[in-house]
Amino acid sequence: MAKLTLYHAAPSRSSITRWMLEEVGEPYDIHLLNLSNGDTHAPDYLAVNPMGKVPALKHGDVVITEAAAICAYLADEFPRAKLNVPIGDARRGPYLKWLFFGPGCIEPAIMDRAFPRKEEARRAALGYGDFDTVIDVAAQAVTSGPYLLGEQFTAADVVIGSTLRWGMLFKLLPERPEFTAYTAHLAKRPASARAEAKDKELAAA
Ligand SMILES: N[C@@H](CCC(=O)N[C@@H](CS)C(=O)NCC(=O)O)C(=O)O
């Protein structure tokens, strides 16, 4: 299969997938886009991701979009990195749950709080229920550690860890001790530090 190319803006949600690529350890190229210049809405990029958003990942002829889907794809495609939980392993249930919980619950709960609706939605109608429950569930999940699935670090930690880190950075999430301990532990991973340093370099250029 041909090489990997990440369509990326630094920093942005595509930083989640850059961290994942660093964890995987396969060579990849960066196709840098500038969000302020509207690069993601140019016709050549809309042909890659009609949503006009980063990230997108090209792997040969395959294009994957949505940050968590990219993380799941990379974890399955490069099993040597041991970042997935294979079919048949009972831990795959919680693994998939956390991969979906990031974009399906934590992120919408944060964004609804940042940009309140004119009329409050019914709890039962919102996929994430309510902010406080989402935060309590996430806090409990990261308490026993060191990772969501115990001793194994997986793609789910990249997704959930990035979302919690970003939420606290922008003061949209409370700095609960469970979150700060978990994200501080994740930040010690060499791949996370490498991705952050490379993104800082890109942002400064
Ligand atoms: N659901 C998408 C969201 C991606 C997203 O919102 N990306 C932002 C950057 S953080 C973007 O590309 N914004 C540019 C725009 O919408 O014009 C994912 O998880 O990958």
Side-chain angles (χ1 to χ4, degrees):
M1 181 73 90
K3 63 186 177 197
L4 297 154
T5 302
L6 178 67
Y7 294 81
H8 180 47
S12 78
R13 285 176 177 88
S14 58
S15 302
I16 303 170
T17 49
R18 179 168 217 172
W19 174 15
M20 184 66 191
L21 282 162
E22 290 290 332
E23 293 283 353
V24 164
E26 294 287 325
Y28 64 92
D29 290 333
I30 291 283
H31 182 120
L32 196 61
L33 296 162
N34 186 331
L35 298 183
S36 320
N37 291 351
D39 288 357
T40 59
H41 297 276
D44 56 343
Y45 185 67
L46 289 174
V48 176
N49 184 2
M51 291 293 286
K53 286 184 173 289
V54 287
L57 180 77
K58 227 179 213 179
H59 185 207
D61 293 333
V62 182
V63 174
I64 314 106
T65 63
E66 297 301 315
I70 293 170
C71 292
Y73 176 88
L74 288 169
D76 286 343
E77 198 68 16
F78 301 100
R80 255 186 321 177
K82 295 200 181 336
L83 298 168
N84 74 345
V85 177
I87 291 171
D89 184 321
R91 295 172 312 131
R92 188 160 168 90
Y95 168 69
L96 290 175
K97 187 265 282 285
W98 293 119
L99 275 173
F100 285 73
F101 195 82
C105 293
I106 303 182
E107 190 185 308
I110 291 175
M111 293 317 262
D112 275 358
R113 180 146 289 200
F115 302 104
R117 297 160 194 257
K118 283 206 180 107
E119 272 181 46
E120 210 172 307
R122 281 184 306 115
R123 184 188 191 283
L126 291 177
Y128 67 81
D130 65 83
F131 183 88
D132 291 338
T133 305
V134 168
I135 299 314
D136 285 345
V137 169
Q140 167 136 32
V142 300
T143 299
S144 43
Y147 301 116
L148 284 165
L149 297 179
E151 292 303 319
Q152 187 193 354
F153 173 84
T154 69
D157 292 294
V158 175
V159 171
I160 298 291
S162 299
T163 309
L164 295 179
R165 195 186 293 173
W166 163 83
M168 288 191 290
L169 183 70
F170 288 97
K171 308 281 175 223
L172 300 171
L173 268 185
E175 293 199 5
R176 290 190 39 164
E178 301 93 324
F179 295 158
T180 52
Y182 172 65
T183 54
H185 186 64
L186 292 178
K188 288 190 203 136
R189 295 185 65 81
S192 166
R194 268 198 313 276
E196 200 175 329
K198 287 178 180 178
D199 265 8
K200 272 198 182 130
E201 227 172 81
L202 281 181

